[in-house]
């Protein structure tokens, strides 16, 4: 099968995003030693606007300009954090996911310069996070901590922490791995302590749907278990139809025997109400499992919670 001579890869221009592109280039070089790659970095609305994301149509704030470059033919392949790709709507018309790379760590980490763990943080400790998912869970389990709005890419957040704009941060372990800063982690939080976001730790490769030569060339980078997990998680979010202020968390797992399960939660912003569901796929395909878990939460009142949150 012919492989394109040159693959132009578009991505956000943050250090984390560029590290993700380097992983893709390294994996491509193994699969297709002859292929040349070029990087097309773009700034997204989410990188430029450091205020409240819901004010800049939060959904797609980290993907819109990347998708546009792909569709305009300025690049051939986009690398996205699945977590940042809206799931309530289909992918931009004319594009498809060609592969989901093997999943990284899905957990969040506490970054505290003094090395304390979450349970050791004294009352009033300011946690820098704008994530409604993290805020709701902290409010439920650690109500004595105070969350302060914190945006910017991971490197920028670490700089702001060092400048004293917060006392501690929550950041994804996978992101810290990608920027080579796992040294700042004071505690890795279990998924029970801090339920991860849908799509955590997964990179997706997106192509134009008519670019079959490229789709064939990169599909070999995909990981089948990650694909099943991503399909279940994204269909879950699609059926639930959240918005950018609705605290939703969850993750699918393919266990050692190959069985797929999906666990997910919806919270009120104050964390006082938490709906839970956990189901095994059994004979269901991943997308149907995602649908089933969403319906289980809707039966418990998820729609009322989500629609009751201003956005
Ligand atoms: N919103 C930025 C973003 N997008 C994806 C990740 C983490 C990496 C991943 O889950 O793929 C992060 C940083 C963070 O949440 O700490």
């Amino acid at each position: 099968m012919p492989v394109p001579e040159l693959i132009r890869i578009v991505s956000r221009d943050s250090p984390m995003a560029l590290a993700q592109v380097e992983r893709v280039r390294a994996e491509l070089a193994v699969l297709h030693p002859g292929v040349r790659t070029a990087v097309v970095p773009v700034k997204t609305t989410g990188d430029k606007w450091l205020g409240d994301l819901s004010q800049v149509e939060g959904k797609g704030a980290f993907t819109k300009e990347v998708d546009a470059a792909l569709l305009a033919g300025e690049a051939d392949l986009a690398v996205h954090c699945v977590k940042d790709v809206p799931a309530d709507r289909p992918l931009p018309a004319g594009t498809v996911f060609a592969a989901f790379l093997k999943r990284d760590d899905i957990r969040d980490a506490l970054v505290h310069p003094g090395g304390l763990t979450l349970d050791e943080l004294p009352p009033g400790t300011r946690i820098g996070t704008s994530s409604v998912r993290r805020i709701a869970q902290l409010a439920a389990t650690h109500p004595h901590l105070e969350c302060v709005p914190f945006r910017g890419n991971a490197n920028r957040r670490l700089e702001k922490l060092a400048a004293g704009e917060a006392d501690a941060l929550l950041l994804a372990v996978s992101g810290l791995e990608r920027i080579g800063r796992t040294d700042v982690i004071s505690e890795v939080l279990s998924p029970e302590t801090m339920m991860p976001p849908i799509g955590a730790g997964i990179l997706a490769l997106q192509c134009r749907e008519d670019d079959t030569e490229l789709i064939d060339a990169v599909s070999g980078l995909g990981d089948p278990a990650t694909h099943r997990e991503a399909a279940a998680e994204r269909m879950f979010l699609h059926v639930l139809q959240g918005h950018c202020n609705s605290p939703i968390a969850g993750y699918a797992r393919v266990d050692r025997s190959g069985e797929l399960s999906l666990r997910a939660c919806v919270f009120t912003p104050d964390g006082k109400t938490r709906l839970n569901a956990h189901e095994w796929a059994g004979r269901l395909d991943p997308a149907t499992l995602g649908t089933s878990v969403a319906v289980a939460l809707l039966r418990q009142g998820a729609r009322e919670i989500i629609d009751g949150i201003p956005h």
Side-chain angles (χ1 to χ4, degrees):
M1 199 171 309
V3 172
E5 199 181 301
L6 171 68
I7 301 177
R8 295 164 303 162
I9 306 174
V10 60
S11 145
R12 291 170 61 187
D13 68 352
S14 70
M16 190 189 303
L18 295 174
Q20 294 167 181
V21 171
E22 288 313 308
R23 171 176 169 189
V24 172
R25 295 175 87 177
E27 293 191 14
L28 266 175
V30 172
L31 197 62
H32 303 294
V35 78
R36 282 194 306 128
T37 53
V39 185
V40 182
V42 299
K43 271 208 192 316
T44 66
T45 308
D47 296 304
K48 287 182 259 184
W49 170 258
L50 292 184
D52 191 347
L53 275 183
S54 60
Q55 289 170 17
V56 291
E57 64 148 324
K59 294 233 177 83
F62 294 107
T63 54
K64 209 170 44 170
E65 289 82 357
V66 174
D67 293 338
L70 184 63
L71 281 165
E74 292 158 15
D76 311 300
L77 181 68
V79 182
H80 285 300
C81 291
V82 171
K83 180 188 148 207
D84 295 332
V85 180
D88 59 326
R89 60 188 85 162
L91 283 185
T95 72
V96 288
F97 283 142
F100 295 96
L101 302 195
K102 187 170 167 47
R103 192 170 209 171
D104 289 328
D105 203 315
I106 66 170
R107 295 171 298 174
D108 275 349
L110 177 72
V111 177
H112 180 260
L116 296 185
T117 65
L118 191 57
D119 289 345
E120 290 168 349
L121 294 176
T125 300
R126 294 166 305 152
I127 311 289
T129 181
S130 295
S131 153
V132 294
R133 173 187 64 86
R134 289 170 177 148
I135 292 168
Q137 294 185 76
L138 281 182
T141 60
H142 297 76
H144 56 288
L145 304 178
E146 186 199 333
C147 291
V148 295
F150 228 66
R151 292 264 340 276
N153 67 47
N155 298 73
R156 183 81 192 95
R157 288 189 218 184
L158 291 175
E159 287 168 18
K160 286 163 70 172
L161 175 69
E165 294 183 35
D167 303 313
L169 296 182
L170 291 178
L171 286 171
V173 171
S174 62
L176 289 167
E177 282 171 347
R178 292 172 195 158
I179 63 169
R181 289 307 310 269
T182 51
D183 59 299
V184 298
I185 294 177
S186 49
E187 185 187 15
V188 174
L189 305 177
S190 72
E192 292 73 46
T193 303
M194 184 53 66
M195 183 82 83
I198 294 304
I202 303 178
L203 298 180
L205 304 186
Q206 188 184 7
C207 306
R208 287 182 299 277
E209 69 184 356
D210 57 6
D211 197 350
T212 49
E213 185 184 53
L214 183 62
I215 294 171
D216 287 343
V218 302
S219 60
L221 299 184
D223 176 66
T226 303
H227 190 128
R228 293 170 68 201
E229 293 174 359
E233 292 177 22
R234 282 182 56 80
M235 182 57 85
F236 161 77
L237 205 49
H238 178 74
V239 173
L240 210 51
Q241 290 288 308
H243 50 73
C244 52
N245 287 337
S246 48
I248 298 171
Y251 60 98
R253 263 294 183 239
V254 175
D255 73 10
R256 246 169 251 139
S257 65
E259 276 269 2
L260 178 70
S261 70
L262 173 62
R263 136 185 350 257
C265 299
V266 171
F267 308 85
T268 50
D270 63 7
K272 292 205 166 103
T273 302
R274 170 184 179 137
L275 310 181
N276 287 294
H278 182 204
E279 296 182 6
W280 291 89
R283 58 206 320 158
L284 302 180
D285 61 53
T288 311
L289 172 66
T291 303
S292 179
V293 170
V295 169
L297 291 179
L298 291 168
R299 279 189 203 288
Q300 297 175 44
R303 178 88 282 121
E304 292 72 15
I305 290 181
I306 292 168
D307 289 350
I309 302 168
H311 58 279

